[in-house]
Amino acid sequence: MAEVLPTLLCLGWCLGWSVWAQMGNLLLPTLMALPGRFVLNMTPVTIQCQAPLGAEATAFRIYRDGSSEPRDTEQGPQPEDTGSLQITVMTADRAGQYHCQYEQHGHWSLPSVPLNLVMTGAYGQPTLSRTAGSEEAAVTAGAAVRLQCVSTIRFDVLVLSKEEDSTIRSQKAGHQGKVCQSVFSLDNITSTQAGTYRCYGHFHTDPLLWSSPSDPLQLQVREAPGKPESNDPRTPLAIPTATTWLPSQVEKGESAAWAPSAENRVRLGLAGLVLLVLGVLLVEAWCSQHRICPAPRGAP
C-alpha cells in the first residue's frame, strides 16, 4: 500500500494538470522582433513567437491589432517550439501592436504580451548632443548628464533610445520658433548607462511612426577616484505614460481558449474520480495503520 499510494497520487496530479492545461490555462508564449522592434522603413524584420519550455506546440499564429484575421506563421528552418512571420519590407501599414498564440492538443493559448513594432525613417532625423558644461569625453560616475534632442520638424514627442538594451525614454517636445527640443536628464549616472544613444521624434496621431534616428552619441562613464567599479543592476529608463501603449485583448481568442469542450468535461470528471479514490485509499491506509499498532503495556 505504501508504494501504491505515491504512484496513484502522481497519476492523479498528472491527469489533473493535463485537463487544466487543455481547458485554456496554457502558459503564455513569448513574442519578439529580430533584430529589434525599431525597424527602419523598407528593411526586413522577423517576428518570432516562442512557446514555453515543455509545451507541445503544433501551430502558431501571429497577428496585428486591427487586422481582420490572425495569420498562420510561415514554415521554415527553425526550432519546433518557435513560429516566425517574415516581413520582407517594413512599411507604415505594418507598424502596430502584435500578439501571438500557439496551439497544443487542439486548444489555443491566450495571446502573448503585446509587441509594439515601430517603423523609423518616416521623417527627417533630429540632432542629439550634450548640453554645455557636460561635453567631456567621459563623465564621472555619480554625476549628471544632460542630452539635448533638437529637430526642425515640430514633433509632439521626442524619444531617447539606448541601443545596447533598447531602453527608451520619451518626453513632450518644447516648441520655440520653428524648432522643437527636449532635454533628457541622466542623474547620478552609473557605468550601466554608458553606451550609444540616439533620439527620434513622432506625432501623437502616429505613435508607432518615428523619424529617422539621430547620429549616434557615445556616452562614456569613468568610476570616481577611490571607488570600486559599480555592480549595480541595470535599471531601464522609464517610459512616461504620455507614450505608453496599452495592450488590447483579443476577446474572441480569449473566450475560445477558456471554453471547455465535452471531451474536457469528461476528462475533468475522470480526474475528480481519481482524486476521490485516492482520498478513500488514504483513509483506509490510515485506519489500517492504527489497527496494527501494538497495544500499550499492561493493557488486558
Side-chain angles (χ1 to χ4, degrees), residues 101-174:
Q101 295 173 275
Y102 67 95
E103 184 184 30
Q104 178 175 299
H105 302 305
H107 297 271
W108 288 95
S109 70
L110 293 176
S112 64
V113 174
L115 169 73
N116 296 297
L117 194 66
V118 176
M119 191 196 84
T120 65
Y123 316 101
Q125 68 174 174
T127 301
L128 183 64
S129 61
R130 292 170 62 177
T131 60
S134 61
E135 298 179 353
E136 298 181 16
V139 62
T140 304
V145 178
R146 307 287 184 265
L147 303 182
Q148 185 178 43
C149 184
V150 180
S151 175
T152 56
I153 303 174
R154 293 173 60 85
F155 292 117
D156 297 321
V157 178
L158 293 173
V159 181
L160 179 68
S161 172
K162 183 170 179 285
E163 290 188 352
E164 286 75 10
D165 49 23
S166 299
T167 55
I168 64 171
R169 180 176 177 179
S170 57
Q171 292 183 182
K172 182 178 179 180

